[in-house]
Amino acid sequence: QVTLKESGPGILQPSHTLSLTCSFSGFSLSTYGMGVSWIRQPSGKGLEWLASIWWNGNTYNNPSLKSRLTVSKDTSNNQAFLKVTSVDTADTATYYCAHTGLTGFDYWGQGVMVTVSS
Amino acid sequence: ETVMTQSPTSMSTSIGERVTLNCKASQSVGINVDWYQQTPGQSPKLLIYGASNRHTGVPDRFTGSGFGRDFTLTISNMEAEDLAVYYCLQYGSIPPWTFGGGTKLELK
């Protein structure tokens, strides 16, 4: 059974760095074909893919966020991480992590709300 | 970047009705399209991957079709639990992967 759970600061100030953790079970990020993706959703709005990291360490970021995104993983502890630098109010959203494989974003976490406010 | 345009943005339906949702890509994406369902307060759920393949446990009243630029999600016999927002996603070979703006299904 695949499960994922996001954790983060809840609220942070503009210009700071957002650090999120995705803790998962039921798969390994060292297994061929496995990946974890990050997607966000501002309240009442649509979904935006942010980044993905794969079993082999390859990463893909959404270029709309330029170089503000960093994804990484800790295979031993079944965790993936997302960092977003220089946040502003437009980064206020619910952030999801999702298991990613040959069949899309097939399992999602419950999401973590992040508010950027001074 | 490939833009995904969903239509309609909202739709009023009745229980038992057949519902067709559309998604159009700004360029060809082959069969690299998924459909997701999001009910209020919940995380999105994968319904269809690779344009036409149902994810594990998805009822067979959900059918996906399409290739290239035009894709369709059909709900053959609308149930109350299907009231939700539906999103298409394209995952072509080169990121960014992009979602459509969503279609909200409501009761008449």
Side-chain angles (χ1 to χ4, degrees):
Chain A
Q1 180 190 3
V2 174
T3 64
L4 305 97
K5 186 173 183 179
E6 307 86 350
S7 58
I11 186 167
L12 71 164
Q13 293 182 335
S15 80
H16 287 205
T17 295
L18 170 62
S19 296
L20 298 172
T21 299
C22 176
S23 301
F24 55 84
S25 63
F27 69 97
S28 172
L29 256 183
S30 62
T31 300
Y32 179 88
M34 297 294 102
V36 169
S37 297
W38 290 92
I39 301 106
R40 71 181 179 183
Q41 184 174 37
S43 180
K45 298 190 177 180
L47 300 165
E48 179 182 31
W49 170 77
L50 297 176
S52 300
I53 187 165
W54 297 94
W55 84 99
N56 58 3
N58 285 351
T59 61
Y60 297 103
N61 293 354
N62 192 324
S64 70
L65 279 83
K66 296 185 173 59
S67 57
R68 297 174 54 216
L69 298 177
T70 303
V71 287
S72 59
K73 62 185 174 85
D74 179 348
T75 302
S76 300
N77 288 307
N78 286 340
Q79 292 181 317
F81 309 98
L82 176 71
K83 289 190 188 296
V84 185
T85 61
S86 303
V87 298
D88 67 13
T89 55
D91 296 308
T92 294
T94 296
Y95 286 74
Y96 298 99
C97 62
H99 174 267
T100 307
L102 295 177
T103 58
F105 304 149
D106 47 9
Y107 299 97
W108 295 58
Q110 64 189 25
V112 60
M113 289 186 61
V114 174
T115 301
V116 179
S117 174
S118 55
Chain B
E1 173 175 321
T2 302
V3 177
M4 303 296 280
T5 302
Q6 289 189 240
S7 62
T9 55
S10 65
M11 176 185 288
S12 295
T13 70
S14 300
I15 302 304
E17 202 170 278
R18 179 184 179 91
V19 173
T20 300
L21 311 180
N22 302 295
C23 185
K24 190 175 188 72
S26 61
Q27 59 187 306
S28 178
V29 294
I31 60 167
N32 295 321
V33 166
D34 297 342
W35 289 92
Y36 295 84
Q37 176 195 63
Q38 187 176 32
T39 52
Q42 299 298 311
S43 305
K45 294 180 181 177
L46 174 66
L47 293 176
I48 302 288
Y49 63 93
S52 62
N53 302 285
R54 284 186 209 93
H55 182 49
T56 304
V58 173
D60 60 7
R61 64 180 181 273
F62 291 94
T63 301
S65 63
F67 176 84
R69 296 182 60 200
D70 293 294
F71 299 87
T72 298
L73 176 69
T74 301
I75 308 173
S76 61
N77 189 358
M78 184 75 185
E79 296 192 6
E81 65 186 29
D82 302 334
L83 296 174
V85 180
Y86 292 82
Y87 295 95
C88 60
L89 165 79
Q90 70 79 21
Y91 51 99
S93 59
I94 301 174
W97 302 324
T98 46
F99 289 91
T103 294
K104 185 176 184 179
L105 293 187
E106 300 171 307
L107 271 182
K108 280 182 183 172

